[in-house]
Structure formats: C-alpha cells, structure tokens
Amino acid sequence: MKLFRYVAALLVAGSGIQAQTVNLTEAKLIDSSYHIVLTMEMANGKIIINQAGQQKQFDRGASARHEYLERVLEEKAGMASGSVRHYREASANIVDGKQQIHIGLDKSKTLHVAQRFKDNVLVYNPKEPMTREEMEVTEHFDSLAVPGLAPGKEVKVGEKWQVAKSATQALCYLDGLVSGEIAATLDSVVGDLARVKLLGNVVGIDKGSQVKLLVEGHYLFDSKKSRIVELVWKQSDQREQGPVSPAMSADVTIVLKRTPIAIPEELDNNRLRGALTQAITDLVAREGKLQFHYGRDWHVVSQREGLVVLRLLDSGDFVAQCSITTLSGIDPAKLSLQQFETAMSNSLGWEQTGVINAPVTEKSKAGYVVHRVSAQGKLSGNPAVQSFYLVVDDAGNHRVVTFSMSPNHVSKIGNRDAALVDSIRFLPSKIVGN
C-alpha cells in the first residue's frame, strides 16, 4: 500500500512537471541593450565552379568572431528593426582551397548602424562608406531577429509551435522565403532558464540563387529577464550557382550569447548625438589609383589589377554587368568622342547594329572628361545594349566603364550606371600607397 502511494505521488509529480509553463515573451525591445558575443564555424565546405566548360570543386572553411554592444532603437513585428552597435571585434578567417584570407574591421571604425531594409539587415558606418570587406565582416548572423524566435505567449513543456516566417527568413539570411518552416519545442525549464529546441527545413533565395537549409539547434530563454540569452544555431547549407556566387555546400555552427545590460556609455545619448545624421550605405572600392562608390545592389564578382567586374541584382534578378578597365596602345587624353565610339564598336565579341541617342562628352562631378556612347547589337551572339564611358583626368589617368544588359533590362538600371561613373576619383600616389 505504501509502495502504491509512493508511485502515485511520483506520477502526480511527473504530471506536474509536464504541465509546467513559462511565458516566452520578450520584454519591450526599444532602448534595450546587449553585450553580444557571436562565433561561427564552417565545416565540410565545398565550392563548385565552372571553368572553360569544366566543373571544378575545392574546399572552403571559415571561422568568425564578433563581439559588440547593441542598443535597439526600433522594433517591428516582435523583432528589433534598427539598432546602433559598438564593435569590439569583427573578424573572419576564410580558407578557399590553398588560399587563406583574413578580413576584419578597423579598430577606428567601431560605431555602426544596423537597419532592417527589404527583409534583410543593412549595416553601415554613419561617418564614411564601407569597403566590400568591411561590409562582408559585418554581414553576420542577425541578432536583431533573435527575439522573433520567442512565441510571445505562455507555453508548457513539450508544446510545439512554428517560428514566425519573418524570423525564419531573417535568421537564415534569405532575400526571399520559398517554403519550409522551423518547429520550436519547449524542451525543459530549470529555474529561470527555459530551453527551446529548433528543427526545420527551409528553402529560399539569396542573391538570385536557390538555397536549401536543414536547421537545428536550441536557445535559452531567461524568464526573469524576459530575454533569449543564448542561441546555438546549426544549418546544413546547399546553395545553387547564382549570378554573383558559385554553388556551395557547408555545415555551419553559430553560437550567440546575448547578455542584457544597461545602455552602455559607448551608445548613450551623449555619444550618439550628432553621430547618426547620415545613412551612408554605398560601398567604396579601390583598384590602383582608381576609387569609386557603388550601391549594394552591385556585387563585385572579379577584381584584379586593371580590371573590376560587378553585377547588378534587382530583387534577385541579374540586371546588368559592369566592367572597369583601361585602354592599351591609345593615349586616352587625345582620344576624340568619335574615335572612342569607333573603338568601342569594335570591342571583342560585340556586333554593333546601332547607336542609342547621340554620343556625348560631358564633365563629371570631379571635373573629369567623360565620353559616353550607348549602343545596341549582339554580345557573344545575344541581343544586348551596352553603355560605354571613358573617364579621363588632366593627368591622363583613365578608365573605360562598360555596362552590358539585355534590352528588356534597360529600364531597370535607371541612373545607376551614371551614378557609379560620376563617383570615380583618381587618387594621388601618396594616398594609394597608404
């Protein structure tokens, strides 16, 4: 009889544990602050590229560490939508085959703004344009979206729910969500900490290529602080080749520690006053003496001495290609508009059938001479429109900037070609050497 009562008591106690509930609702986000430590490890990475009709594969590995203070300034739909960050560290190590690359954020560039824009987070320096490497090292796991993992309600142990699609898309870093969902399950509650498991399959689009992800992991929710304080996120990644990126597969593990803190001195109102007056989202690039700015919808796909190639994406669609190069065997300072037009009409692989509008010579904002010719024809046998620009300064420094696109994409490029050309500057040698 005593044994029966003991077993019955255990069953009652067990049923009480199963019925235990916790409110998984993040507190107000605006003006909340955090100390974020974020690490990433990539394993089993494979890059597949096509060269001269042959498929080649090489290994890719990567690791990264970010530590920053973050103060939330805006929130929307259960997630932070804008913040300011003070970076203490932002660095990544990438191994592509035998090539090792290290990128990091300059210690003088600590203050950044993170703003949700078109379903993704845009990080920029409010004082000056960022380089492509600085952009890449700050395009890390989206800490603004972490609150979206919480269901915002009372949940009992063992209960399941679906993570909001907006949070799924943001945390998977996708431009668009095609299908799939991440299931969350309240696994256990120990003291103030609730442990939630995550598992799901997701299909989406990133930079014009399809991405398939298997996501699993867990997070810890501190019910006393009403915050997610730790997240382990693992994803098996399969990416198809896109217009600006090769096919890739990899296993990625991300660990995020998110400690709530008071507003830090580095991000208090005194420090921010007057510091957030500009949204400088364009990137800056240098190649030799050349410097130019470009919007983030342009993607650098190749850069070497004397040549830069960019591709323009609009809502994931490949719109145009831009190549920046030099003339050989010709003195650009003595090249007339008519001679430039003739030279461009004879470009390799280009069969010109007509000129669009009249060729013109004008001055850029920097005072450089700019010859411009727009023509239609066939590029490598396909119908195309090309705009050719020759930019020359008083010292004879020059670049030929060529924009190539299919005829039905002419309206999509808008004035983005002219804006890139107008941003070109030729730097003094002493600046180039710095």
Side-chain angles (χ1 to χ4, degrees):
M1 198 64 179
K2 288 182 179 179
L3 179 61
F4 175 80
R5 286 197 298 269
Y6 176 71
V7 172
L10 285 179
L11 290 173
V12 171
S15 65
I17 292 173
Q18 292 301 313
Q20 188 174 3
T21 62
V22 63
N23 190 341
L24 299 180
T25 302
E26 284 245 339
K28 178 185 174 183
L29 289 170
I30 292 180
D31 268 341
S32 63
S33 297
Y34 309 90
H35 175 204
I36 305 284
V37 177
L38 180 64
T39 60
M40 184 278 293
E41 294 287 340
M42 175 190 290
N44 305 316
K46 300 290 181 184
I47 298 290
I48 301 172
I49 59 174
N50 290 308
Q51 287 184 344
Q54 292 186 336
Q55 196 175 81
K56 294 186 177 181
Q57 177 177 293
F58 58 90
D59 295 337
R60 166 169 285 183
S63 62
R65 188 180 190 279
H66 297 81
E67 182 180 357
Y68 55 95
L69 307 177
E70 182 162 52
R71 177 183 175 184
V72 176
L73 300 181
E74 299 174 357
E75 67 174 300
K76 184 179 179 181
M79 296 191 296
S81 55
S83 73
V84 284
R85 293 173 177 170
H86 175 85
Y87 279 93
R88 292 177 174 174
E89 181 182 357
S91 62
N93 295 292
I94 304 163
V95 180
D96 276 341
K98 296 181 180 180
Q99 184 180 18
Q100 297 188 23
I101 303 168
H102 174 79
I103 56 176
L105 199 59
D106 191 290
K107 291 183 178 180
S108 66
K109 300 178 180 180
T110 57
L111 182 65
H112 286 74
V113 176
Q115 189 81 37
R116 192 166 301 286
F117 179 72
K118 291 184 177 180
D119 298 321
N120 273 319
V121 170
L122 182 70
V123 179
Y124 61 89
N125 184 312
K127 295 182 179 179
E128 57 184 300
M130 299 169 68
T131 65
R132 180 166 60 106
E133 290 77 13
E134 289 169 341
M135 178 196 71
E136 289 174 347
V137 83
T138 55
E139 281 189 333
H140 49 69
F141 192 75
D142 186 359
S143 56
L144 294 182
V146 169
L149 289 169
K153 63 179 182 179
E154 195 88 14
V155 178
K156 64 181 180 180
V157 172
E159 186 175 346
K160 294 184 178 182
W161 66 92
Q162 301 302 326
V163 173
K165 292 187 179 297
S166 57
T168 297
Q169 180 177 331
L171 293 169
C172 293
Y173 212 84
L174 298 172
D175 296 328
L177 192 63
V178 175
S179 64
E181 53 192 21
I182 297 176
T185 306
L186 179 56
D187 185 44
S188 63
V189 178
V190 179
D192 296 327
L193 292 180
R195 187 178 189 274
V196 176
K197 293 193 299 185
L198 302 169
L199 181 64
N201 289 282
V202 177
V203 179
I205 302 295
D206 178 39
K207 295 180 177 64
S209 63
Q210 188 178 79
V211 183
K212 295 181 179 179
L213 300 171
L214 169 62
V215 176
E216 57 182 327
H218 70 271
Y219 67 82
L220 298 179
F221 186 96
D222 189 321
S223 59
K224 188 174 182 179
K225 298 176 181 177
S226 297
R227 299 293 183 202
I228 293 173
V229 294
E230 185 175 316
L231 170 65
V232 176
W233 180 279
K234 298 179 181 180
Q235 62 184 48
S236 294
D237 204 321
Q238 299 285 336
R239 295 173 183 258
E240 296 181 358
Q241 181 173 333
V244 298
S245 56
M248 187 186 79
S249 63
D251 297 322
V252 179
T253 300
I254 294 162
V255 178
L256 179 145
K257 295 185 183 296
R258 180 175 178 252
T259 305
I261 58 174
I263 294 176
E265 182 181 350
E266 294 89 340
L267 300 175
D268 66 16
N269 292 340
N270 290 329
R271 292 291 181 92
L272 298 184
R273 189 173 291 113
L276 306 180
T277 56
Q278 301 183 80
I280 306 175
T281 60
D282 280 0
L283 301 177
V284 61
R286 287 183 179 178
E287 189 283 304
K289 288 187 176 182
L290 172 70
Q291 177 178 288
F292 64 94
H293 292 188
Y294 59 101
R296 298 196 188 199
D297 39 10
W298 287 104
H299 301 265
V300 176
V301 295
S302 179
Q303 182 170 349
R304 60 180 186 270
E305 186 177 355
L307 175 65
V308 182
V309 179
L310 306 95
R311 288 185 173 178
L312 175 65
L313 297 187
D314 190 327
S315 300
D317 294 331
F318 174 36
V319 173
Q321 179 163 298
C322 169
S323 63
I324 305 174
T325 187
T326 57
L327 293 170
S328 59
I330 302 175
D331 184 352
K334 297 180 180 179
L335 200 66
S336 69
L337 175 60
Q338 184 177 1
Q339 290 171 324
F340 176 63
E341 180 185 351
T342 300
M344 293 302 98
S345 67
N346 294 321
S347 299
L348 184 66
W350 175 236
E351 300 174 37
Q352 188 165 306
T353 58
V355 174
I356 302 172
N357 301 321
V360 296
T361 298
E362 48 201 4
K363 289 278 189 176
S364 73
K365 285 184 179 179
Y368 304 151
V369 173
V370 179
H371 295 324
R372 174 166 59 86
V373 178
S374 296
Q376 58 190 1
K378 288 188 175 181
L379 185 61
S380 300
N382 298 310
V385 170
Q386 294 203 100
S387 292
F388 304 97
Y389 295 81
L390 173 61
V391 184
V392 187
D393 73 357
D394 292 339
N397 295 305
H398 77 283
R399 286 298 186 276
V400 175
V401 188
T402 304
F403 297 89
S404 310
M405 68 212 80
S406 65
N408 61 333
H409 284 160
V410 172
S411 61
K412 288 187 176 183
I413 196 171
N415 70 342
R416 287 180 283 197
D417 55 343
L420 191 153
V421 170
D422 213 29
S423 75
I424 286 177
R425 300 291 184 273
F426 296 108
L427 303 175
S429 298
K430 63 180 180 178
I431 295 180
V432 174
N434 285 345

